[in-house]
């Protein structure tokens, strides 16, 4: 079974600075998908960024980028120019490849609470 | 263009009562997923349904929990004889197709169930 680990329960960043959120995972599969979700106090789960394991290039979405290290099974999220609206819980998630019985499930880490200091 | 709608947003039940949580997927989506979030935890998969079919219920507790997604109307997650340990946020998500590399999972805002 796949596992996702987010070992840092909390992080804080100064507004306009850069912060990196860590995530590691364990799997025996060679192809899979990785995601970062944001959960603000409203509880809405918002997809921030996704990465296909077969792609070597790291995904980027505006101020959000990932550092995907497949051999190390590491998938960190970098937030540049942090804004007050970035304050939220962030969850790392794993999904199995297409065609397997497990690909209907997302496996989530425990999350990290990010606070942004003005 | 409404997203995934869940109601109620908050639900309070006493031990032994029944809880019914509703989820209306994004219009046109025929696949629904239920997840549970315990305090200080990530979301845990419970069940995956298509219209009138349960596809994967490997995350559902064996007793007291059931889910349906009828041809008409919302998906329902039903918890009978609730216990304090059922207190959690329950999230529904939908997708237009079985998840593939191009399909995204859209989440609702969840129902917070509190059992007294």
């Amino acid at each position: 079974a796949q596992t996702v680990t987010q070992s840092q329960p909390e992080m804080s960043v100064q507004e306009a600075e850069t912060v990196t959120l860590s995530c590691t995972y364990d799997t025996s599969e060679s192809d899979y998908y990785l995601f970062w979700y944001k959960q603000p106090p409203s509880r809405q789960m918002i997809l921030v960024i996704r990465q296909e394991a077969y792609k070597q290039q790291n995904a980027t979405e505006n101020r959000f980028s990932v550092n995907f290290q497949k051999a190390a099974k590491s998938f960190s999220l970098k937030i540049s120019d942090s804004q007050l609206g970035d304050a939220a819980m962030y969850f790392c998630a794993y999904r199995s490849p297409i065609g397997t019985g497990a690909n209907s499930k997302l496996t989530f880490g425990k999350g990290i609470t990010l606070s942004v200091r003005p | 263009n409404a997203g995934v709608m869940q109601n109620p947003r908050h639900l309070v039940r006493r031990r032994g009562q029944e809880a019914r949580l509703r989820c209306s997927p994004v219009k046109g989506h025929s696949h629904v997923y239920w997840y549970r979030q315990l305090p200080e935890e990530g979301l845990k998969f419970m069940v995956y349904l298509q219209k009138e079919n349960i596809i994967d219920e490997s995350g559902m507790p064996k007793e007291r929990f059931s889910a349906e997604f009828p041809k008409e109307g919302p998906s329902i997650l039903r918890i009978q004889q609730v216990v304090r340990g059922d207190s959690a946020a329950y999230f529904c998500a939908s997708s237009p197709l079985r998840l593939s590399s191009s399909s995204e999972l859209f989440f609702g805002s969840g129902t917070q169930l509190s059992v007294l």
Side-chain angles (χ1 to χ4, degrees), chain B residues 14-93:
Chain B
R14 296 190 180 279
R15 281 179 296 171
Q17 291 183 320
E18 177 179 289
R20 292 172 69 89
L21 287 62
R22 295 176 184 75
C23 168
S24 296
V26 173
K27 188 175 181 181
H29 286 191
S30 57
H31 297 237
V32 164
Y33 309 78
W34 285 93
Y35 286 79
R36 175 165 63 175
Q37 184 180 26
L38 294 168
E40 311 300 324
E41 297 282 333
L43 279 67
K44 295 280 197 290
F45 171 81
M46 299 182 74
V47 63
Y48 161 42
L49 310 106
Q50 290 179 20
K51 288 280 187 182
E52 300 183 284
N53 283 304
I54 296 175
I55 305 303
D56 181 352
E57 57 182 347
S58 58
M60 286 279 271
K62 296 288 184 246
E63 296 176 349
R64 302 187 297 108
F65 284 72
S66 62
E68 63 176 9
F69 188 19
K71 187 176 180 181
E72 301 291 336
S75 175
I76 305 288
L77 180 67
R78 182 182 177 204
I79 311 172
Q80 294 177 291
Q81 299 175 324
V82 295
V83 300
R84 288 217 174 109
D86 297 333
S87 296
Y90 291 83
F91 286 88
C92 173

Side-chain angles (χ1 to χ4, degrees), chain A residues 61-78:
Chain A
E61 289 286 343
N62 300 313
R63 298 183 295 107
F64 299 88
S65 61
V66 299
N67 183 5
F68 173 48
Q69 301 289 328
K70 192 172 184 179
K73 295 180 182 174
S74 170
F75 182 60
S76 60
L77 175 70
K78 185 171 84 170

Side-chain angles (χ1 to χ4, degrees), chain A residues 39 42-44 95 105-106, chain B residues 9 35 56 100 107 109-110:
Chain A
Q39 187 181 44
S42 67
R43 276 206 314 254
Q44 181 78 43
R95 199 179 86 210
K105 304 184 189 68
L106 281 169
Chain B
R9 187 156 174 77
Y35 286 79
D56 181 352
S100 68
F107 281 87
S109 295

